[in-house]
Amino acid sequence: SQPQRKRWLESILGKQVAGLSKGVLEQLYEHPEEFFAGDDDISEAHSHVCEVLQLRQRLTRVGKAKLQRLAEMLDDDGRVRDVLVYCGAHTGRWSGRGVQPHNMVRGAAGLDVERLLTGDVLTLEAVQAASDAANCSADDALSTLFRPVFRAAEGRVLLIADYAGIEVRVLWWSAQDKVGLKLLATGADPYCSLASDICGRSITKADPERQLGKAGILGCGYGMGWAKFVGTAKDMFQLTVTDEEAENVVNTYRQKFHRVKSF
């Protein structure tokens, strides 16, 4: 379990860790000197810790528990129902239950999923061969196969729709934030707008810095502070930011959309 892993890691490090989020683990992998105290050689201990934690991550990603839960939820006709919850999150977003359909691994690029699924029996040998061809691990391949489990009934199709920026639209309307509402009314990109203020120059959709604006809009709109922003930016947007940069993002957001802060 995660508490057990956390206690095990703390026993090796000799100090407490904030948690085992993806951002914290990646920081541990890349900058062990920030976690391992003392002047002794840390390479052996670091290698051991990384191996254990990465193996655990890989086992979790395969989704054995998800597949078991999926089998338990099957109706007599082979379909799974009632997995979507309207307004299940406090921000107003849909959420899921049971197999969590909103939380599926995107998968390994280059894996021939259709070929794997055409046979009557999916063998470990076939998975291993396909993963080798795609230059990924077998557990990456297995986790990639979870998404195709969801298919339309015969003679039907799956239609996928999403409300564009629903959280920020409802938030700015509720707070009556004129700056934000004007951005929406004029068709401007809110993420680029905030990113431009953060960076002090014009940011377009083609610029990678737009992700910084997106992380700020989606996080700070719901009260996120700079410390939380550091980990969230890493976990959700693959952005590495310093404490000072995170403070700048949060302060810039709260100044620009001050009615949201008041709300």
Side-chain angles (χ1 to χ4, degrees):
S1 68
Q2 180 157 309
Q4 288 175 318
R5 277 178 289 146
K6 185 172 181 290
R7 289 195 297 270
W8 173 78
L9 179 59
E10 289 175 341
S11 69
I12 293 177
L13 298 179
K15 62 180 180 180
Q16 290 187 330
V17 293
L20 294 178
S21 68
K22 182 180 178 182
V24 171
L25 293 180
E26 288 184 356
Q27 189 75 6
L28 171 64
Y29 301 151
E30 297 171 9
H31 302 285
E33 68 280 357
E34 298 180 7
F35 292 84
F36 290 84
D39 299 326
D40 298 333
D41 182 16
I42 65 173
S43 59
E44 185 175 347
H46 178 242
S47 176
H48 176 62
V49 166
C50 289
E51 182 180 9
V52 171
L53 294 177
Q54 288 171 342
L55 282 171
R56 173 61 183 174
Q57 281 183 301
R58 290 167 64 180
L59 285 171
T60 303
R61 194 166 63 247
V62 170
K64 179 182 177 182
K66 282 189 174 184
L67 292 172
Q68 289 176 334
R69 181 62 177 142
L70 184 67
E72 293 169 358
M73 294 179 65
L74 282 176
D75 286 340
D76 293 339
D77 59 355
R79 314 301 296 175
V80 170
R81 295 176 170 84
D82 301 325
V83 295
L84 297 175
V85 182
Y86 175 70
C87 206
H90 77 279
T91 59
R93 293 187 66 166
W94 287 78
S95 66
R97 60 183 167 210
V99 295
Q100 295 297 339
H102 289 136
N103 186 25
M104 288 186 277
V105 177
R106 187 170 297 276
L111 187 71
D112 193 347
V113 174
E114 288 302 321
R115 185 175 180 180
L116 279 172
L117 296 178
T118 52
D120 294 331
V121 179
L122 183 63
T123 64
L124 181 59
E125 290 76 13
V127 171
Q128 187 64 63
S131 61
D132 290 342
N135 195 28
C136 66
S137 64
D139 51 276
D140 285 329
L142 288 172
S143 63
T144 303
L145 294 177
F146 185 76
R147 188 180 291 254
V149 164
F150 293 86
R151 295 185 171 228
E154 187 175 352
R156 299 179 181 272
V157 295
L158 285 176
L159 298 179
I160 302 173
D162 187 19
Y163 287 116
I166 184 63
E167 289 177 304
V168 69
R169 292 174 188 274
V170 172
L171 174 62
W172 285 344
W173 181 85
S174 300
Q176 284 297 291
D177 191 280
K178 296 180 180 179
V179 174
L181 292 174
K182 185 177 180 180
L183 288 174
L184 297 175
T186 58
D189 186 298
Y191 306 151
C192 289
S193 177
L194 180 60
S196 297
D197 290 348
I198 293 169
C199 299
R201 59 183 177 85
S202 179
I203 300 297
T204 69
K205 290 184 178 181
D207 294 318
E209 290 84 358
R210 178 179 181 268
Q211 286 292 90
L212 198 60
K214 184 175 183 179
I217 291 285
L218 298 180
C220 299
Y222 290 87
M224 184 177 291
W226 68 265
K228 177 76 172 178
F229 184 85
V230 173
T232 301
K234 184 74 172 179
D235 290 347
M236 297 184 63
F237 301 95
Q238 292 72 57
L239 296 172
T240 301
V241 297
T242 65
D243 292 351
E244 292 74 17
E245 290 169 337
E247 286 188 80
N248 180 42
V249 171
V250 173
N251 291 335
T252 302
Y253 179 93
R254 293 177 179 176
Q255 291 168 9
K256 186 179 184 71
F257 306 109
H258 60 90
R259 290 196 179 216
V260 171
K261 180 185 176 184
S262 299
F263 178 68

